[in-house]
Short mmCIF file of all heavy atoms in Angstrom, two decimals:
data_model
loop_
_atom_site.label_atom_id
_atom_site.label_comp_id
_atom_site.label_asym_id
_atom_site.label_seq_id
_atom_site.Cartn_x
_atom_site.Cartn_y
_atom_site.Cartn_z
N LYS C 275 92.90 114.77 96.96
CA LYS C 275 92.08 115.93 96.61
C LYS C 275 90.64 115.55 96.34
O LYS C 275 89.91 116.28 95.61
CB LYS C 275 92.69 116.77 95.47
CG LYS C 275 94.20 117.01 95.50
CD LYS C 275 94.50 118.13 96.45
CE LYS C 275 96.01 118.40 96.53
NZ LYS C 275 96.76 117.58 97.44
N GLN C 276 90.22 114.39 96.70
CA GLN C 276 88.89 113.90 96.60
C GLN C 276 88.54 113.15 97.83
O GLN C 276 89.36 112.54 98.45
CB GLN C 276 88.76 112.99 95.40
CG GLN C 276 88.49 113.62 94.05
CD GLN C 276 88.39 112.58 93.02
OE1 GLN C 276 89.44 111.88 92.70
NE2 GLN C 276 87.24 112.41 92.35
N LYS C 277 87.28 113.19 98.23
CA LYS C 277 86.81 112.39 99.40
C LYS C 277 86.81 110.95 99.00
O LYS C 277 86.60 110.60 97.80
CB LYS C 277 85.47 112.87 99.81
CG LYS C 277 85.41 114.21 100.42
CD LYS C 277 84.09 114.58 100.96
CE LYS C 277 84.06 115.95 101.61
NZ LYS C 277 82.75 116.38 102.01
N GLY C 278 86.93 110.03 100.00
CA GLY C 278 86.99 108.64 99.79
C GLY C 278 85.72 108.12 99.02
O GLY C 278 85.84 107.28 98.10
N ASN C 279 84.56 108.68 99.29
CA ASN C 279 83.30 108.22 98.66
C ASN C 279 83.22 108.69 97.20
O ASN C 279 82.28 108.30 96.52
CB ASN C 279 82.02 108.60 99.49
CG ASN C 279 81.94 110.08 99.68
OD1 ASN C 279 82.67 110.88 99.03
ND2 ASN C 279 81.02 110.48 100.51
N GLU C 280 84.21 109.56 96.78
CA GLU C 280 84.21 110.00 95.40
C GLU C 280 85.29 109.28 94.56
O GLU C 280 85.29 109.40 93.32
CB GLU C 280 84.56 111.49 95.28
CG GLU C 280 83.47 112.36 96.03
CD GLU C 280 83.93 113.73 96.30
OE1 GLU C 280 85.15 114.05 96.18
OE2 GLU C 280 83.12 114.58 96.66
N LEU C 281 86.08 108.43 95.21
CA LEU C 281 87.16 107.73 94.47
C LEU C 281 86.63 106.39 94.03
O LEU C 281 86.04 105.64 94.75
CB LEU C 281 88.32 107.49 95.45
CG LEU C 281 89.10 108.76 95.95
CD1 LEU C 281 90.03 108.36 97.02
CD2 LEU C 281 89.89 109.39 94.74
N PRO C 282 86.88 106.02 92.75
CA PRO C 282 86.49 104.76 92.19
C PRO C 282 87.12 103.56 92.93
O PRO C 282 88.21 103.79 93.46
CB PRO C 282 86.84 104.82 90.70
CG PRO C 282 87.84 105.87 90.65
CD PRO C 282 87.63 106.86 91.73
N SER C 283 86.50 102.46 92.84
CA SER C 283 87.02 101.32 93.69
C SER C 283 88.37 100.81 93.18
O SER C 283 89.03 100.09 93.93
CB SER C 283 85.98 100.20 93.71
OG SER C 283 85.76 99.76 92.39
N ASP C 284 88.70 101.09 91.87
CA ASP C 284 90.00 100.63 91.38
C ASP C 284 91.14 101.77 91.47
O ASP C 284 92.18 101.62 90.95
CB ASP C 284 89.87 100.16 89.92
CG ASP C 284 89.38 101.27 89.02
OD1 ASP C 284 88.96 102.37 89.51
OD2 ASP C 284 89.33 101.05 87.79
N HIS C 285 90.85 102.78 92.17
CA HIS C 285 91.77 103.86 92.46
C HIS C 285 92.92 103.35 93.24
O HIS C 285 92.72 102.60 94.22
CB HIS C 285 91.04 105.10 93.05
CG HIS C 285 91.85 106.36 93.01
ND1 HIS C 285 92.91 106.55 93.87
CD2 HIS C 285 91.77 107.44 92.21
CE1 HIS C 285 93.41 107.82 93.63
NE2 HIS C 285 92.75 108.32 92.61
N PRO C 286 94.14 103.81 92.94
CA PRO C 286 95.36 103.36 93.80
C PRO C 286 95.25 103.81 95.21
O PRO C 286 95.93 103.21 96.05
CB PRO C 286 96.52 104.02 93.05
CG PRO C 286 96.00 105.01 92.06
CD PRO C 286 94.60 104.63 91.77
N ALA C 287 94.34 104.74 95.48
CA ALA C 287 94.19 105.15 96.93
C ALA C 287 93.90 103.94 97.82
O ALA C 287 94.36 103.92 98.95
CB ALA C 287 93.04 106.11 97.01
N TRP C 288 93.09 102.99 97.31
CA TRP C 288 92.62 101.93 98.19
C TRP C 288 93.72 100.92 98.49
O TRP C 288 93.73 100.36 99.65
CB TRP C 288 91.37 101.26 97.55
CG TRP C 288 90.28 102.31 97.39
CD1 TRP C 288 89.79 102.69 96.18
CD2 TRP C 288 89.70 103.11 98.42
NE1 TRP C 288 88.86 103.72 96.47
CE2 TRP C 288 88.80 103.99 97.77
CE3 TRP C 288 89.81 103.16 99.80
CZ2 TRP C 288 88.03 104.82 98.51
CZ3 TRP C 288 89.04 104.04 100.52
CH2 TRP C 288 88.11 104.88 99.84
N GLU C 289 94.64 100.69 97.59
CA GLU C 289 95.74 99.75 97.88
C GLU C 289 96.62 100.37 98.96
O GLU C 289 97.01 99.67 99.97
CB GLU C 289 96.60 99.59 96.55
CG GLU C 289 97.71 98.61 96.64
CD GLU C 289 97.30 97.17 96.54
OE1 GLU C 289 96.18 96.92 96.13
OE2 GLU C 289 98.07 96.26 96.88
N MET C 290 96.84 101.67 98.88
CA MET C 290 97.62 102.36 99.94
C MET C 290 96.93 102.36 101.25
O MET C 290 97.46 102.13 102.32
CB MET C 290 97.94 103.79 99.47
CG MET C 290 98.83 104.49 100.43
SD MET C 290 99.09 106.26 99.89
CE MET C 290 100.19 106.04 98.55
N GLU C 291 95.63 102.65 101.19
CA GLU C 291 94.74 102.67 102.36
C GLU C 291 94.80 101.27 103.10
O GLU C 291 94.95 101.20 104.30
CB GLU C 291 93.35 103.11 101.96
CG GLU C 291 92.40 103.23 103.19
CD GLU C 291 92.75 104.41 104.11
OE1 GLU C 291 93.63 105.22 103.68
OE2 GLU C 291 92.19 104.44 105.22
N ALA C 292 94.60 100.27 102.29
CA ALA C 292 94.56 98.94 102.89
C ALA C 292 95.93 98.57 103.55
O ALA C 292 95.99 97.96 104.60
CB ALA C 292 94.29 97.88 101.77
N ASP C 293 96.97 99.06 102.94
CA ASP C 293 98.33 98.83 103.53
C ASP C 293 98.40 99.51 104.91
O ASP C 293 98.90 98.88 105.87
CB ASP C 293 99.40 99.34 102.61
CG ASP C 293 100.82 98.82 103.01
OD1 ASP C 293 101.35 99.35 104.00
OD2 ASP C 293 101.31 97.95 102.28
N TYR C 294 98.02 100.72 104.97
CA TYR C 294 98.09 101.46 106.26
C TYR C 294 97.20 100.77 107.36
O TYR C 294 97.65 100.59 108.47
CB TYR C 294 97.75 103.00 106.13
CG TYR C 294 98.79 103.73 105.40
CD1 TYR C 294 98.52 104.67 104.43
CD2 TYR C 294 100.14 103.54 105.78
CE1 TYR C 294 99.49 105.38 103.77
CE2 TYR C 294 101.14 104.31 105.07
CZ TYR C 294 100.81 105.25 104.15
OH TYR C 294 101.86 105.93 103.49
N ILE C 295 95.99 100.46 106.92
CA ILE C 295 95.12 99.88 107.93
C ILE C 295 95.63 98.49 108.43
O ILE C 295 95.57 98.13 109.56
CB ILE C 295 93.68 99.71 107.31
CG1 ILE C 295 93.01 101.06 107.03
CG2 ILE C 295 92.74 98.89 108.28
CD1 ILE C 295 91.72 101.03 106.33
N ALA C 296 96.20 97.69 107.44
CA ALA C 296 96.74 96.41 107.83
C ALA C 296 97.98 96.53 108.75
O ALA C 296 98.16 95.79 109.68
CB ALA C 296 97.18 95.62 106.56
N GLN C 297 98.77 97.62 108.47
CA GLN C 297 99.89 97.88 109.43
C GLN C 297 99.40 98.13 110.84
O GLN C 297 99.92 97.56 111.82
CB GLN C 297 100.66 99.15 108.98
CG GLN C 297 101.56 98.98 107.76
CD GLN C 297 102.45 100.19 107.63
OE1 GLN C 297 103.03 100.67 108.55
NE2 GLN C 297 102.58 100.64 106.39
N GLY C 298 98.28 98.96 110.99
CA GLY C 298 97.76 99.23 112.26
C GLY C 298 97.18 97.94 112.84
O GLY C 298 97.50 97.63 114.05
N VAL C 299 96.47 97.22 112.06
CA VAL C 299 95.80 95.96 112.57
C VAL C 299 96.85 95.06 113.12
O VAL C 299 96.73 94.39 114.18
CB VAL C 299 94.98 95.34 111.49
CG1 VAL C 299 94.68 93.87 111.76
CG2 VAL C 299 93.70 96.13 111.28
N CYS C 300 97.99 94.86 112.35
CA CYS C 300 99.04 93.97 112.84
C CYS C 300 99.69 94.42 114.14
O CYS C 300 99.96 93.52 115.02
CB CYS C 300 100.11 93.81 111.74
SG CYS C 300 99.53 92.82 110.37
#
Side-chain angles (χ1 to χ4, degrees):
K275 317 281 183 271
Q276 269 180 298
K277 290 184 178 175
N279 60 9
E280 297 162 351
L281 293 169
S283 60
D284 58 354
H285 193 282
W288 300 116
E289 184 79 12
M290 184 183 285
E291 182 67 13
D293 194 287
Y294 287 137
I295 296 173
Q297 286 190 46
V299 163
C300 287

